[in-house]
Amino acid sequence: KKLLEMEKAAEAKAAAEKAAAERARASEMQKYVSGIQSKVWAGVRLPGDLQGNPEAEFVVSLLPGGELLNVTMRKSSGNAAYDAAVERAIRQAQPFTVPSGDDFQRYFRQFPMTFRPQR
């Protein structure tokens, strides 16, 4: 009985360690995403007539070195000039700093990005 309790405790500890490692990895990957978004925002030229805080969503596909393979709009903000400004900035901001190996394949081969002028 004691052996069974020890095995269960070891399994619970391993599961908790795995979950903690996944949270740490997700946090690390979020740093890359934040860096990409900052680099894109630096190149966005907002239209002068922009009203409110429109949201545009894009799907970005990258090559392993951080070069842009493709960008497609998933959801328009409703302001064509704003959408075009964000897409242009994404294209001009490459190459991006991305992790290598499995982390790149898992998180950055293709990923969504959302843009709002007032973050």
Side-chain angles (χ1 to χ4, degrees), residues 9-25:
E11 287 174 9
K13 182 180 178 190
E17 288 172 353
K18 183 177 179 183
E22 274 301 311
R23 283 192 302 274
R25 174 178 256 161

Side-chain angles (χ1 to χ4, degrees), residues 66-79:
E67 295 85 11
L68 185 69
L69 177 63
N70 194 24
V71 59
T72 55
M73 189 180 333
R74 180 191 287 180
K75 178 183 156 228
S76 171
S77 68
N79 182 315

Side-chain angles (χ1 to χ4, degrees), residues 62-107:
L62 300 179
L63 296 170
E67 295 85 11
L68 185 69
L69 177 63
N70 194 24
V71 59
T72 55
M73 189 180 333
R74 180 191 287 180
K75 178 183 156 228
S76 171
S77 68
N79 182 315
Y82 173 67
D83 294 345
V86 172
E87 184 172 341
R88 190 168 38 256
I90 292 170
R91 291 183 185 282
Q92 292 173 348
Q94 67 166 322
F96 300 109
T97 301
V98 292
S100 60
D102 290 344
D103 285 339
F104 171 78
Q105 293 297 334
R106 185 171 177 190
Y107 297 99

Side-chain angles (χ1 to χ4, degrees), residues 17-74:
E17 288 172 353
K18 183 177 179 183
E22 274 301 311
R23 283 192 302 274
R25 174 178 256 161
S27 176
E28 186 67 25
M29 294 307 108
Q30 185 56 46
K31 289 178 188 174
Y32 284 102
V33 172
S34 294
I36 291 169
Q37 284 194 305
S38 292
K39 193 171 180 184
V40 170
W41 269 120
V44 174
R45 301 294 169 248
L46 295 176
D49 63 345
L50 191 63
Q51 299 288 315
N53 194 25
E55 180 179 276
E57 279 185 42
F58 293 87
V59 175
V60 177
S61 302
L62 300 179
L63 296 170
E67 295 85 11
L68 185 69
L69 177 63
N70 194 24
V71 59
T72 55
M73 189 180 333
R74 180 191 287 180

